[in-house]
C-alpha cells in the first residue's frame, strides 16, 4: 500500500530500510518470519495449532491467510436478524424531516439533532416498533421545556399539544419533572444540559420507562395500547430555542440496558472485524523480533517505536489494508479506536509518558489514505467532544479528565493537530466545549455531598438585605462549620484546577508557533479561525444557533488568558526588551492600519468608512498610512442589505425546497443542536410559504457581493512581519514608543479576548450572581423562621409544626444551594478568575491611554475597549465581592485612579460620537462618585483633568443628556446641603429597598475638592455661570411643570367613581420628573452656597435676572407644594406604587436650603437684595414659608378644628435629618420675611394698570426696546433676550434696550 502522507518522523532515513549495509547482514529468516506472523495473526479462538500442523506463512500468502481469519468471524448473523424482528422502517434511523413533523424546526445535516424554532414543534423518527424491547438515547443540549418519548402514526400534534398530550403518545418532561399521557403526574428528576435520557419501551409487557444518565427513573407507563396497527415511533416536542441530539444506535449507546435493542442495529460484522484487526495490531506492538538471537521477544508496549524494521512495517501495512476503511465509520471509531486509545492512557502518568499514541498516529498517516485519516480523526474528535460534554459530573471529575487527556495526546501530534485546526476544530466541531466545565444541577449525583459534607452560609444580612453593621461574633459552632465548608471548597478547587490545567494545555498546543514543519505554524491557523469565530458571535447577535453560549465563553476566556500569558512571558524571557504580560496592551495602530478585521463593529468616531474619509490626511501625516481612493467609494447601507439578501437567496436556490437553509449563517456549527456536527442547515416548516422568501428576484450568482474575511488569506509573515515589514504593527504613530511589545500574533489574540468579554462574558458573570442572591434570601427566610419558632406559643402545636416544616425546607434548599455556590465560586468567581478580569481591565486602561495619545486617530478605536474597561470594573466590584475583595488586588488604588481619569476625560470627548457609549461613560462616572473609595480616586487624578471634568459638567444642559450630569453634581454635594445627609428618604425607611447596593442608596460622600473647583470656575468664567444656571432654571421649570401636569391627571383618574388603574409607566415618569426637580433644586442650592455672588453681586450683568428667575421658580414650587388640601397633598396621601419617592420632605428641604443661603447665610447687602427680589415677585406668599415650620394659616386652622388628628408637615419633626442650627436659621428667615413683608406692604404705592408690564403684570414698565419702542419690565425682556431676539409684540429684531422712566408730568 502506497503512502502519500508520511510525516517528518517517518522519513526514509528514520526507517533505515534495507539500503543500509549493516542491516542487510542480519535478515529475518523464513522460520522466524513464519513464527512471527503466526504469533501476530492468531485464530479467532486464540489457540495456535502446533508448529507441525501450521501452514507456513510468508508475506506472499499472508493476505489469503488474513482473509480466511476474518471470514471465520462473520458467522453469527442470526442475532442481527432476531433484533430486527418487531421493527418497521429504514435500517438507518433518523428524524423524519419529510412528513413526520409539526411547527418550525431546525434539523442538523445528520438528521439526528433538532432545535425548536416555534412555540412547541414536534418531530418523530423514521422507524417504528410493534413488538420486543427497544431503547434510544437523547442527549440534552439545553434544559428547557421538552417532552420526549413515543407516539403512534395517528397522533396529531399542533403548536400547543405535543408528545404526551394526545392518546397513544407518552412522554417524560425533565424540565417540569413530570410524565405526560393526556394527563400529567410527577415523575423522575430534573434534567440539565449535558444529561442523557434513555427512552425504553417493552412491547411484550406493555411498559415504558426512562433513565437519566444510566439511572432508572422507574416505570413511567404500564398497560400501553398494543395490538394490530399499533406501532410506536420515537418522538419529541420542544419549545423555542430548545435543542437535543438523538442516538438511535448510529453510535454505541452510552448507557445500554440488558435485554433492550437499539432501534438501529450496530454494524456487528464490521465491529467483529475491527476488534480482530485491533487485536493483531496490539500483537505487533507486544511482540518484537530479536534478529541476532533469532527469536521473538515480549516488548514493553508503552515505549514501543517503529524503528525501521521492514518486517514489522509490511505486517502493519497488511493490517491497515483492512483496518483503514473501517476507521471511517462513526460507530467503529467510537467503540474500537477511542476505547483502545483511552486504555493506553489509563495507566496514569503524564500524557508525554505515553508516546505510543503518537506512534499510532504516525502509522495512520503513513499507512492510510489521506481521506481515510481525515475522516477517522474527525470522527475521533467528534466522539471525544460528545463524550466530554455528556459525561456526568463525578467527585474527582475523572471522566472529563480522561477525555481531555486523550484530546491532548491526539493534538500533540503535529500533522493531526494542523489538519484538525484547519478543517475540524472550528469548522465542524464546537471545540470551545472542551474548555467548558459544566455546573452540576443535582449536587447529590455529582458527589458534592461527600466532597463538601458540611454546608455553611453567611448570616450577616439584615431584613433589608444589607450587610448588618453590628455583626455578632460568630459562635464556635459556626466557625467550625465555616472552616469545614472552606476546606471542602478547597478540595473541590484542587480537582477543578486539574481539569482547567488540561484545558490550558490544549490551548498551548493550538498556540504553538514553532511547528512550521509541513506548512504554517498552528498558531496562525488558530488565529484565523479564532477571528472568524469572533465574527460569527459579533455579527449574529439575534441568531442563537450560531452564537456560542455565554457560559462556554466565560471558561474559554479564562483558559485563553492563561495560555496567552504563558506565551507572552515566554517571549519576554527570550527578549528582555519586550514587555511582560503584566504591562500588556494593544497598540493603537491595530485599529486603523486595516491588518485586523473588526467586522463593522462601531468605532469611537463612528463608522470606519466615514473615519477613513475624514481622517485620511491625519493617517497619512501621523502614521504614514495611505488610504486607497477606491476604498473610499463606500457602499450605502441599503446596498449592504441587498448584498446580504442576495447571498441568502443564492444559498437557498442551491438546496431543495424540502430542506431550506436559513441563509449562509447557518452553514456553520449550530450551538444549540447536536453536540457534534451541529450544522443546523435544514429548516423544517409546516407553513406553505417559506419564511425566507427574498423581497426581489436574485440576479446572476457572479454579481453577489459576499464580504470575505481578510484573515483567511493572511500568513505568518503578514502577522508577525519580517525585515522592513512591521506586520500587524504597520503605521506606528509618533506618540507610540519604538519598543517591542511581544509577538504580533499574541497582540491579536489579546484583542480577541477583549472582544470576547464584551460579546457575552460580562453578561454571564452578572447572571451567575443569582445563586449567591438566592442563598442570601433563603438564609434570611430561615433566620426569620427560626425566630418565629422561638416566639411561637407552646399551645399552638399546629403553627409550630408548620414552622418546623418550613425550617426543614429552607435548610435543605440552603444545603443544596451552598454546595452549588461552592462550585460556581470555584469555576467562575475564584481569586484566580478575579485576577484574570483585573488583568483584562488593566489591559484596556493601558490600551485606551496609548490610543488617547494619538490625538484624532483615537477615533479609530473600537467602542468595546471602553465598554470592557467600565464593565470589568463593575464586575470586580459587584460580582466577585462576596468571595474576594477587590482591595487586595495589586496596584488597585492606581488602577482605580487611571480608570477615573479615563472616565473624567472621555465622557465629554468630542472624538467619541456614539450616544450609547457616551451615555455609558456618563453613567460609569455617576456610579464612580457614589462610592467613597472611587470618589477619592477621582480626586487623585491630575488637577488639570479635574478642572476640565468640572468644566464639562457645567456646560449648558440644552441639547445633551443632562440628567446624568445633574446626578453627578448632586452626588458631589450630597451630605453638605440643608437636611441633605440622608441615604434613604425618611418616609421610606420602613420599606425594603429593591437592591441595597444601588449607587443611589450609598451613604453621602461629598467632595469638597471638586466643589472648590466648581466654585472657582463659576466665579472666574463670566460666561459659564449665566449659561449654566439659565439652563438649570429652564430644566427645573420644565420638570416641575410636567410633574404638576401629571399629578393632575393622576388625581382626576383616582377621583372617578368607576374602578380604574393609572398606567404604571405614567406613574414612573411622574416620579422621575419629581426626582429631577429635587436634584435640579439641589444643584441650585450647591451653586448658591459655593458662589453666592453669581446671584447677589449685581455688578455682574446677569445676576439680577438670575436672582429674579430663581425667586420666581422657588415661589411657584412652594405655592404648589404647601397649599392646604392641595393637589400635591392628595396625591402623596394616595401612596400609589411607583410614586414612593414623591413626598413633601425632599422638595421642601431643597427649596429651604436655597432660601436660607440667600436670606440668612449671606452679608447684609446680599440679604437685602434677595429679600427685595423675593417680596417683589407677585407669586410670593408668606404662608408658604410658615408652612415649613408647621404654622398653618388661621382660616385653615378654624376649618380643620374637627379634624385635629391630621398632622401638618413641619421641618421640626425631622430632628434626625435637620440639625437644630439649621432649624434656627429657618426660624430667623421666617421672622425676617414676616417683618420685611409688613414693611413692604406699608410702603408700596398703588400702581395703575397702564403702568404695569403688559407681559407679567407684576412689575412696573422699566425698559423700552430699540428700534420699535415697545415696553416691558426689565426682568421680562432680559429673560426673553436669552433665547430670542424678536420683539414680543411686533416681531422686529431688537437691537438694544434702554431704561424707561415715566415722565413726571403725566
Amino acid at each position: 500500500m502506497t503512502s502519500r502522507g508520511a510525516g517528518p518522523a517517518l522519513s526514509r532515513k528514520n526507517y533505515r530500510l534495507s539500503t543500509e549495509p549493516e542491516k542487510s547482514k542480519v535478515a529475518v529468516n523464513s522460520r522466524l518470519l513464519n513464527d512471527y506472523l503466526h504469533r501476530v495473526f492468531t485464530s479467532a479462538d486464540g489457540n495456535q495449532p502446533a508448529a507441525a500442523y501450521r501452514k507456513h506463512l510468508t508475506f506472499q500468502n499472508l493476505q489469503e491467510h488474513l482473509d480466511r481469519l476474518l471470514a471465520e468471524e462473520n458467522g453469527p448473523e442470526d442475532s442481527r436478524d432476531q433484533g430486527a424482528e418487531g421493527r418497521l422502517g429504514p435500517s438507518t434511523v433518523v428524524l423524519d424531516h419529510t412528513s413526520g413533523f409539526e411547527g418550525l424546526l431546525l434539523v442538523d445535516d445528520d438528521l439526528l439533532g433538532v432545535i425548536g424554532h416555534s412555540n412547541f414543534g414536534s418531530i418523530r423518527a423514521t422507524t417504528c416498533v410493534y413488538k420486543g424491547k427497544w431503547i434510544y438515547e437523547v442527549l440534552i443540549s439545553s434544559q428547557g421545556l421538552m417532552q420526549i418519548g413515543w407516539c403512534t402514526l395517528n397522533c396529531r400534534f399542533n403548536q400547543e399539544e405535543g408528545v404526551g398530550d394526545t392518546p397513544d403518545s407518552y412522554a417524560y418532561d425533565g424540565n417540569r419533572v413530570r410524565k405526560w399521557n393526556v394527563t400529567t403526574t410527577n415523575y423522575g428528576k430534573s434534567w440539565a444540559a449535558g444529561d442523557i435520557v434513555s427512552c425504553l419501551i417493552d412491547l411484550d409487557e406493555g411498559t415504558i420507562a426512562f433513565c437519566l444518565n444510566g439511572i432508572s427513573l422507574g416505570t413511567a407507563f404500564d398497560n400501553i395500547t398494543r395490538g394490530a396497527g399499533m406501532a410506536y415511533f420515537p418522538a419529541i416536542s420542544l419549545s423555542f430555542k430548545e435543542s437535543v441530539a438523538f442516538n438511535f444506535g448510529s453510535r454505541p449507546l452510552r448507557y445500554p440496558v440488558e435485554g433492550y435493542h437499539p432501534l438501529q442495529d450496530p454494524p456487528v460484522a464490521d465491529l467483529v472485524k475491527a476488534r480482530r484487526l485491533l487485536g493483531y495490531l496490539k500483537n505487533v506492538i507486544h511482540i518484537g523480533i530479536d534478529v541476532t538471537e533469532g527469536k521473538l521477544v515480549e516488548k514493553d508496549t508503552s515505549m514501543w517505536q517503529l524503528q525501521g524494521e521492514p518486517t514489522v512495517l509490511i505486517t502493519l501495512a497488511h493490517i491497515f489494508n483492512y483496518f483503514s476503511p473501517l476507521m471511517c465509520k462513526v460507530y467503529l471509531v467510537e467503540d474500537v479506536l477511542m476505547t483502545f486509545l483511552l486504555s493506553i492512557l489509563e495507566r496514569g502518568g503524564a500524557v508525554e509518558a505515553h508516546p505510543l499514541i503518537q506512534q499510532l498516529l504516525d502509522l495512520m498517516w503513513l499507512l492510510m489514505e489521506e481521506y481515510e485519516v481525515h475522516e477517522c480523526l474527525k470522527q475521533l474528535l467528534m466522539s471525544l467532544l460528545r463524550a466530554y460534554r455528556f459525561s456526568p459530573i463525578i467527585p474527582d471529575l475523572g471522566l472529563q479528565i480522561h477525555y481531555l487527556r486523550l484530546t491532548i495526546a491526539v493534538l500533540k501530534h503535529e500533522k493531526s493537530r494542523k489538519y484538525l485546526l484547519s478543517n475540524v476544530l472550528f469548522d465542524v466541531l464546537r471545540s470551545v466545549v472542551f474548555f467548558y466545565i459544566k455546573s452540576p444541577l443535582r449536587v447529590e449525583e455529582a458527589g458534592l455531598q461527600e466532597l463538601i459534607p458540611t454546608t455553611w452560609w453567611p448570616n450577616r444580612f439584615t431584613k433589608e438585605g444589607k450587610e448588618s453593621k453590628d455583626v455578632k461574633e460568630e459562635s464556635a459552632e459556626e466557625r467550625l462549620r465555616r472552616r469545614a465548608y472552606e476546606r471542602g471548597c478547597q478540595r473541590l478547587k484542587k480537582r477543578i484546577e486539574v481539569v482547567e490545567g488540561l484545558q490550558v494545555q490544549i490551548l498551548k498546543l493550538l498556540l504553538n508557533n514553532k511547528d512550521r514543519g509541513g506548512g504554517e505554524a498552528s498558531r496562525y491557523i488558530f488565529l484565523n479561525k479564532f477571528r472568524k469565530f469572533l465574527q460569527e458571535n459579533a455579527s449574529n447577535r439575534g441568531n442563537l444557533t450560531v452564537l456560542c453560549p455565554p457560559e462556554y465563553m466565560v471558561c474559554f476566556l479564562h483558559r485563553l488568558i492563561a495560555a496567552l500569558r504563558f506565551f507572552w512571558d515566554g517571549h519576554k524571557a527570550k527578549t528582555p526588551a519586550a514587555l511582560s504580560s503584566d504591562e500588556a496592551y494593544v497598540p493603537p495602530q491595530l485599529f486603523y492600519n486595516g491588518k485586523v478585521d473588526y467586522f463593522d463593529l462601531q468605532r469611537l468616531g463612528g463608522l470606519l468608512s466615514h473615519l477613513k474619509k475624514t481622517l485620511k490626511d491625519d493617517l497619512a501625516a501621523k502614521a504614514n498610512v495611505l488610504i486607497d481612493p477606491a476604498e473610499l467609494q463606500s457602499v450605502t447601507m441599503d446596498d449592504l442589505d441587498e448584498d446580504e439578501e442576495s447571498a441568502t437567496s443564492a444559498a437557498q436556490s442551491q438546496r431543495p425546497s424540502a430542506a431550506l437553509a436559513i441563509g449562509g449563517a447557518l452553514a456553520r456549527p449550530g450551538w444549540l443542536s447536536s453536540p457534534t456536527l451541529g450544522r443546523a442547515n435544514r429548516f423544517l416548516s409546516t407553513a406553505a410559504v417559506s419564511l425566507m422568501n427574498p423581497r426581489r428576484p436574485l440576479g446572476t450568482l457572479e454579481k453577489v457581493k459576499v464580504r470575505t474575511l481578510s484573515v483567511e488569506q493572511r500568513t505568518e509573515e503578514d502577522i508577525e512581519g519580517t525585515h522592513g515589514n512591521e506586520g500587524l504593527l504597520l503605521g506606528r504613530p509618533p506618540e507610540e514608543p519604538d519598543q517591542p511589545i511581544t509577538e504580533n500574533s499574541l497582540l491579536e489574540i489579546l484583542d480577541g479576548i477583549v472582544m470576547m468579554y464584551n460579546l457575552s462574558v460580562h453578561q454571564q458573570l452578572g447572571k451567575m450572581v443569582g445563586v449567591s442572591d438566592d442563598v442570601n434570601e433563603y438564609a434570611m427566610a430561615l433566620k426569620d423562621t427560626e425566630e418565629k419558632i422561638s416566639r411561637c406559643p407552646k399551645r399552638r402545636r399546629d403553627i409550630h409544626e408548620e414552622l418546623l416544616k418550613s425550617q426543614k425546607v429552607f435548610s435543605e434548599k440552603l444545603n443544596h444551594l451552598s454546595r452549588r455556590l461552592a462550585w460556581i465560586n470555584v469555576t467562575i468567581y475564584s481569586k484566580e478568575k478575579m485576577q484574570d478580569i483585573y488583568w483584562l481591565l488593566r489591559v484596556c486602561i493601558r490600551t485606551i491611554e496609548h490610543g488617547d495619545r494619538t490625538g484624532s486617530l483615537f477615533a479609530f478605536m473600537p467602542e468595546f475597549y471602553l465598554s470592557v474597561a467600565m464593565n470589568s470594573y463593575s464586575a470586580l466590584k459587584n460580582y466577585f465581592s462576596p468571595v474576594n475583595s477587590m482591595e487586595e488586588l495589586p496596584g488597585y488604588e492606581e488602577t482605580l485612579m487611571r480608570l477615573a481619569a479615563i472616565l473624567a476625560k472621555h465622557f465629554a470627548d468630542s472624538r467619541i460620537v456614539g450616544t450609547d457609549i457616551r451615555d455609558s461613560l456618563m453613567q460609569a462616572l455617576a456610579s464612580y462618585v457614589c462610592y467613597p473609595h472611587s470618589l477619592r480616586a477621582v480626586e487623585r487624578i491630575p488637577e488639570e483633568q479635574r478642572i476640565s471634568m468640572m468644566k464639562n459638567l457645567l456646560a449648558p444642559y440644552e441639547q445633551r443628556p443632562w440628567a446624568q450630569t445633574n446626578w453627578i453634581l448632586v452626588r458631589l454635594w450630597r451630605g453638605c446641603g440643608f437636611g441633605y445627609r440622608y441615604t434613604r428618604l425618611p418616609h421610606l425607611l420602613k420599606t425594603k429597598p429593591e437592591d441595597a447596593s444601588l449607587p443611589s442608596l450609598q451613604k453621602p460622600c461629598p467632595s469638597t475638592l471638586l466643589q472648590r473647583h466648581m466654585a472657582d470656575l463659576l466665579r472666574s468664567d463670566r460666561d459659564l455661570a449665566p449659561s449654566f444656571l439659565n439652563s438649570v432654571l429652564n430644566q427645573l421649570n420644565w420638570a416641575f411643570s410636567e410633574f404638576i401636569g401629571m399629578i393632575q391627571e393622576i388625581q382626576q383618574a383616582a377621583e372617578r367613581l368607576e374602578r380604574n388603574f393609572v398606567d404604571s409607566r405614567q406613574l414612573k415618569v411622574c416620579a422621575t420628573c419629581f426626582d429631577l426637580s429635587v436634584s435640579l433644586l439641589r444643584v441650585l442650592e450647591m451653586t448658591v452656597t459655593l458662589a453666592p455672588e453669581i446671584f447677589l453681586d449685581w455688578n455682574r450683568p446677569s445676576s439680577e435676572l438670575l436672582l429674579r428667575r430663581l425667586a420666581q421658580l422657588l415661589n411657584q414650587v412652594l405655592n404648589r407644594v404647601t397649599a392646604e388640601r392641595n393637589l400635591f397633598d392628595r396625591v402623596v396621601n394616595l401612596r400609589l406604587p411607583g410614586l414612593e419617592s414623591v413626598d413633601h420632605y425632599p422638595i421642601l428641604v431643597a427649596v429651604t436650603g436655597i432660601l436660607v443661603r440667600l436670606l440668612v447665610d449671606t452679608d447684609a447687602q446680599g440679604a437685602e437684595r434677595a429679600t427685595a427680589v423675593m417680596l417683589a415677585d407677585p407669586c410670593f406668599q408668606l404662608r408658604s414659608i410658615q408652612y415649613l415650620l408647621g404654622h398653618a394659616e388661621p382660616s385653615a386652622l378654624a376649618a380643620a378644628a374637627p379634624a385635629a388628628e391630621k398632622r401638618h408637615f413641619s421641618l421640626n419633626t425631622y430632628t434626625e435629618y435637620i440639625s437644630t442650627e439649621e432649624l434656627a436659621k429657618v426660624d430667623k428667615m421666617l421672622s425676617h420675611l414676616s417683618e420685611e413683608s409688613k414693611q413692604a406692604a406699608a410702603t408700596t404705592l398703588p400702581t395703575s394698570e397702564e403702568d404695569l408690564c403688559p407681559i407679567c403684570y407684576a412689575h412696573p414698565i422699566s425698559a423700552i426696546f430699540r428700534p420699535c419702542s415697545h415696553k416691558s419690565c426689565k426682568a421680562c425682556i432680559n429673560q426673553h433676550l436669552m433665547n430670542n431676539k424678536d420683539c414680543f409684540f411686533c416681531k422686529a429684531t431688537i437691537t438694544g434696550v434702554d431704561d424707561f422712566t415715566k415722565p413726571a408730568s403725566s
Side-chain angles (χ1 to χ4, degrees), residues 389 1061 1093 1195:
R389 187 180 179 192
F1061 299 95
E1093 57 269 38
S1195 59

Side-chain angles (χ1 to χ4, degrees), residues 723-741:
H723 303 294
N725 168 16
E726 293 180 273
L728 290 186
L729 297 183
L730 174 77
R732 182 174 61 82
E735 298 84 359
E736 189 64 13
D738 185 11
Q739 165 199 3
I741 303 170

Side-chain angles (χ1 to χ4, degrees), residues 548-738:
C548 173
E551 59 270 25
Y552 292 16
M553 278 282 211
V554 174
C555 294
F556 187 33
L557 177 102
H558 287 298
R559 309 303 171 264
L560 201 50
I561 287 175
L564 172 78
R565 295 191 70 176
F566 168 81
F567 283 107
W568 194 301
D569 290 330
H571 179 75
K572 162 76 176 167
K574 291 180 207 155
T575 319
L579 297 178
S580 75
S581 64
D582 286 324
E583 302 162 304
Y585 71 95
V586 179
Q589 54 265 47
L590 254 70
F591 307 137
Y592 57 71
N593 65 16
K595 296 284 186 179
V596 176
D597 194 334
Y598 287 101
F599 16 89
D600 303 328
L601 288 175
Q602 191 75 5
R603 309 298 181 103
L604 292 177
L607 288 172
L608 181 63
S609 53
H610 163 74
L611 290 173
K612 280 181 177 174
K613 281 182 186 174
T614 53
L615 296 176
K616 66 176 189 290
D617 295 339
D618 287 6
L619 278 173
K622 283 190 171 186
N624 200 23
V625 173
L626 299 174
I627 301 293
D628 181 0
E631 268 191 74
L632 297 179
Q633 304 296 318
S634 67
V635 197
T636 65
M637 291 306 288
D638 193 43
D639 288 340
L640 285 173
D641 288 344
E642 289 178 12
D643 292 341
E644 282 167 19
E645 285 168 15
S646 305
T648 303
S649 32
Q652 289 170 1
S653 66
Q654 310 261 319
R655 291 198 179 89
S657 57
L660 284 170
I662 300 192
L666 288 179
R668 301 280 299 159
W671 276 93
L672 294 174
S673 60
S674 145
T676 52
L677 265 166
R679 281 159 118 54
N681 321 11
R682 292 172 190 265
F683 185 69
L684 308 185
S685 168
T686 41
V689 183
S690 163
L691 299 179
M692 304 297 153
N693 278 350
R695 282 183 301 188
R696 55 183 182 281
L698 174 72
T700 56
L701 281 174
E702 288 73 24
K703 290 183 183 175
V704 175
K705 296 176 191 170
V706 179
R707 185 169 176 277
T708 54
L709 259 183
S710 56
V711 294
E712 293 293 357
Q713 288 82 41
R714 293 183 313 164
T715 61
E716 178 178 347
E717 189 177 321
D718 295 331
I719 294 168
E720 299 292 2
T722 50
H723 303 294
N725 168 16
E726 293 180 273
L728 290 186
L729 297 183
L730 174 77
R732 182 174 61 82
E735 298 84 359
E736 189 64 13
D738 185 11

